[in-house]
C-alpha cells in the first residue's frame, strides 16, 4: 500500500516498522507465505518500505463480490478511509488488483500496474523527483 497525503499512522502502528530501502528480495521475504508478516499489509511511505504486517480496516460495503476474500475487503476498506493506493495480489490466483477511492480494479498485468502506479504516484512531478520515483517503482517485484 502506498501512503499518499492521508497519513496512516494508526495502520502503521498495527505492524512492525522496518523503515528499509526497497529491494525485491526484502519484499519477497515479507510476503513469503511462512513469514510472520506475510498476512498483513506492507506500507510504503515516501521511497521506503516503512511497515509490514499491518492490519487494514475491512470494507463494510455489502455489494462486494462474494468471491473476494479478506485481503481484497481490507484493500477496499483502506481505500475507502484514505487516499492510499492499495495493490492486492491474490494468494490463490496471482491476480493483481488495485484499490483506489473505494473501487477495486482487477486483472492488472505487471506492465499495466507499473504504468498505473507511475501515473497515480508520480503524475507530472518535476523531472528530478520523477526519475527517483520511477526508479523506486521499478524495484517492486510485482511490476515489470
Amino acid at each position: 500500500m502506498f501512503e499518499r497525503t492521508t497519513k496512516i499512522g494508526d495502520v502503521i502502528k498495527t505492524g512492525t516498522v522496518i523503515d528499509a530501502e526497497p529491494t525485491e528480495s526484502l519484499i519477497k521475504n515479507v510476503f513469503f507465505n511462512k513469514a510472520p508478516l506475510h498476512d498483513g499489509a506492507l506500507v510504503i511511505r515516501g521511497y521506503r518500505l516503512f511497515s509490514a504486517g499491518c492490519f487494514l480496516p475491512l470494507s463494510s460495503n455489502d455489494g462486494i463480490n462474494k468471491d473476494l476474500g479478506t485481503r481484497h475487503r481490507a484493500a477496499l476498506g483502506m481505500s475507502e478511509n484514505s487516499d492510499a493506493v492499495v495493490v492486492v495480489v491474490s494468494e490463490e490466483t496471482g491476480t493483481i488488483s488495485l484499490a483506489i477511492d473505494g473501487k477495486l480494479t482487477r486483472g492488472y498485468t505487471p506492465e499495466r500496474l507499473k504504468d498505473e502506479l507511475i501515473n497515480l504516484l508520480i503524475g507530472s512531478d518535476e523531472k528530478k523527483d520523477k526519475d527517483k520515483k520511477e526508479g523506486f517503482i521499478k524495484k517492486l517485484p510485482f511490476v515489470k
Side-chain angles (χ1 to χ4, degrees):
M1 166 180 36
F2 295 86
E3 181 184 61
R4 294 199 288 181
T5 58
T6 305
K7 298 302 174 205
I8 52 175
D10 288 345
V11 170
I12 288 169
K13 289 178 190 175
T14 67
T16 301
V17 173
I18 54 177
D19 193 15
E21 288 287 326
T23 65
E24 184 173 342
S25 61
L26 178 56
I27 294 170
K28 284 181 175 181
N29 276 317
V30 166
F31 289 114
F32 176 66
N33 69 358
K34 303 233 186 303
L37 301 176
H38 120 277
D39 274 331
L42 173 64
V43 175
I44 298 171
R45 176 180 271 179
Y47 306 109
R48 310 275 298 167
L49 305 179
F50 197 76
S51 187
C54 299
F55 295 106
L56 304 181
L58 297 179
S59 176
S60 57
N61 181 343
D62 292 331
I64 297 173
N65 183 332
K66 300 296 182 199
D67 293 336
L68 297 177
T70 304
R71 183 175 295 188
H72 291 84
R73 292 174 189 281
L76 277 169
M78 192 68 226
S79 75
E80 293 166 353
N81 291 292
S82 74
D83 67 348
V85 173
V86 188
V87 177
V88 187
V89 180
S90 170
E91 197 167 24
E92 290 79 26
T93 66
T95 300
I96 302 170
S97 304
L98 203 56
I100 305 166
D101 297 326
K103 294 180 180 83
L104 185 73
T105 306
R106 301 174 72 192
Y108 279 85
T109 62
E111 296 82 12
R112 184 171 158 231
L113 178 64
K114 178 188 78 171
D115 293 341
E116 188 70 14
L117 289 176
I118 288 170
N119 181 49
L120 289 166
L121 302 173
I122 299 172
S124 60
D125 283 351
E126 292 181 22
K127 179 72 172 141
K128 176 183 167 194
D129 205 30
K130 184 175 180 175
D131 289 345
K132 185 174 182 180
K133 287 181 180 178
E134 280 189 26
F136 173 81
I137 290 170
K138 289 176 182 174
K139 290 182 183 179
L140 302 174
F142 44 83
V143 301
K144 296 284 178 202

